[in-house]
Amino acid sequence: MIGIFDSGLGGLTVLKSIKKNLPQYDYIYYGDTLHVPYGSRSSEAIYELSKKACDFLFEKGCKLIIVACNTASAKALRRLQTEYLNEVNGLTGQLVNILGVIRPVAEEFSMISKGRVGVIGTKGTIESGIYEEELKDEREKIKVEKSNVKSQMLNVYQQPTPLLVPFIEEGLMKRKELKSILRMYLRPLKDQQVDSLILGCTHYPLIIKQIRAIMGKNCVVPNPAEIVADKLKQYLEQHSDLEKSLAKTGQRQYFVTDLSDSFNQTATRFLKEKINFKKINEK
Ligand code: DGL
């Protein structure tokens, strides 16, 4: 089973792309709707919440967890992969893994960017500086003379965009107010003439059209959920032991830490399909 963890609904965009690319596997979704948003929480709080999510998913039998939330990937993933994962692998004696969404996206952008990358995300993700760090690391690895990349130099321009998640969750994607907010947020990145833009938050693929329209044809804006799905496919091809241990019956289960009518409505709007969410009861 593959576990997908997010602070709430946003990770469903990642799951949607992964399911489309790799339909054969069993998936289990964990949305921490009781504690969303993670965007402005401390690293310690995000680590503790992420650990709880991973405990749940491993107990359910997951062999691989994708931390679909950018904020949790930025602020807790390294600690999960070192401290927590060592403990889990030691306890169970089985090989399990936890992957995030930032490294695969940075890997892809280090290849496609002509040298000026923009990043938008929650305050937590942007303040962590992780995209810049990973992008520069990945660019370092590229041998300029053997690739299409013109120069090793990569300038990264970051912009926190905290008002976007509430607009998207409220279903106000088509409102002119959202367009004005987007223009305000994207202006500095357009002024810097970024050639590519990272949507560093799980919610943003839902307004990708609006973002692309504002950024114009000189800036590529790929859907990060599709990048993550492609990289996961490659990862599974390269890790056959783990791949073999994954159940392949096409089962999907959806869990959340809080369930309300408004959540159900937003989720249906989000995925354009009716999903049967189960609420996790606190131990
Ligand atoms: N899922 C979060 C992310 O990708 C956005 C929502 C939140 O702030 O929790 O960063």
Side-chain angles (χ1 to χ4, degrees):
M1 199 134 49
I2 299 178
I4 310 282
F5 154 54
D6 183 56
S7 57
L9 273 172
L12 292 172
T13 58
V14 179
L15 179 57
K16 196 175 181 177
S17 292
I18 292 179
K19 276 192 318 185
K20 198 169 159 214
N21 230 6
L22 301 161
Q24 67 273 39
Y25 298 106
D26 290 8
Y27 295 99
I28 172 163
Y29 186 82
Y30 179 107
D32 194 5
T33 46
L34 187 61
H35 303 105
V36 70
Y38 280 12
S40 311
R41 287 186 188 275
S42 69
S43 300
E44 191 57 36
I46 296 172
Y47 177 66
E48 289 304 324
L49 293 169
S50 304
K51 232 167 61 164
K52 219 168 163 184
C54 292
D55 277 345
F56 176 86
L57 292 168
F58 282 136
E59 270 168 35
K60 285 274 176 197
C62 289
K63 303 285 183 236
L64 179 65
I65 295 175
I66 311 293
V67 178
C69 176
N70 282 264
T71 313
S73 289
K75 297 202 136 191
L77 183 67
R78 279 189 193 156
R79 224 175 132 192
L80 286 173
Q81 286 174 327
T82 49
E83 289 175 33
Y84 174 78
L85 204 53
N86 273 344
E87 227 173 87
V88 175
N89 278 327
L91 275 178
T92 61
Q94 280 183 332
L95 195 64
V96 294
N97 207 0
I98 306 176
L99 303 172
V101 288
I102 293 175
R103 170 70 59 86
V105 171
E107 217 177 270
E108 181 70 13
F109 272 75
S110 68
M111 300 293 295
I112 61 172
S113 173
K114 296 190 188 102
R116 303 177 82 77
V117 186
V119 186
I120 56 174
T122 63
K123 275 191 187 148
T125 301
I126 297 303
E127 277 165 16
S128 76
I130 187 121
Y131 269 107
E132 179 160 14
E133 201 183 303
E134 298 267 357
L135 278 161
K136 291 190 168 161
D137 268 10
E138 289 300 328
R139 188 76 158 198
E140 282 283 300
K141 292 186 199 157
I142 298 173
K143 297 274 172 289
V144 170
E145 66 280 7
K146 287 194 187 145
S147 67
N148 295 329
V149 170
K150 296 229 165 34
S151 130
Q152 208 84 60
M153 269 292 286
L154 201 60
N155 295 300
V156 182
Y157 303 93
Q158 306 192 73
Q159 174 72 43
T161 49
L163 289 174
L164 301 184
V165 167
F167 259 84
I168 297 168
E169 295 227 330
E170 290 302 320
L172 305 173
M173 276 87 103
K174 300 224 163 81
R175 291 289 284 262
K176 62 176 189 324
E177 288 85 353
L178 176 64
K179 213 170 175 182
S180 308
I181 290 169
L182 272 175
R183 281 217 183 91
M184 170 187 84
Y185 281 148
L186 298 174
R187 185 75 258 165
L189 301 176
K190 274 178 78 93
D191 288 347
Q192 291 297 343
Q193 298 182 324
V194 296
D195 57 65
S196 46
L197 177 66
I198 295 184
L199 305 187
C201 174
T202 47
H203 286 59
Y204 303 169
L206 289 154
I207 49 167
I208 199 164
K209 271 194 203 145
Q210 292 91 316
I211 294 174
R212 281 179 178 152
I214 294 174
M215 292 312 290
K217 60 176 174 0
N218 293 329
C219 177
V220 288
V221 187
N223 182 344
E226 286 168 12
I227 298 174
V228 170
D230 284 345
K231 300 275 179 191
L232 176 60
K233 195 167 179 210
Q234 287 169 23
Y235 174 87
L236 292 173
E237 280 162 9
Q238 287 157 6
H239 295 80
S240 55
D241 280 357
L242 198 140
E243 197 281 333
K244 274 185 213 134
S245 73
L246 296 172
K248 299 173 192 74
T249 64
Q251 202 187 99
R252 283 91 175 88
Q253 297 174 66
Y254 298 85
F255 289 92
V256 284
T257 48
D258 188 30
L259 191 57
S260 62
D261 287 345
S262 87
F263 170 81
N264 267 323
Q265 282 161 18
T266 316
T268 311
R269 204 163 41 215
F270 217 77
L271 274 198
K272 297 195 179 73
E273 65 176 283
K274 186 102 186 78
I275 290 170
N276 185 18
F277 287 98
K278 289 196 191 106
K279 183 179 173 305
I280 299 167
N281 293 313
E282 294 274 328
K283 279 183 199 159

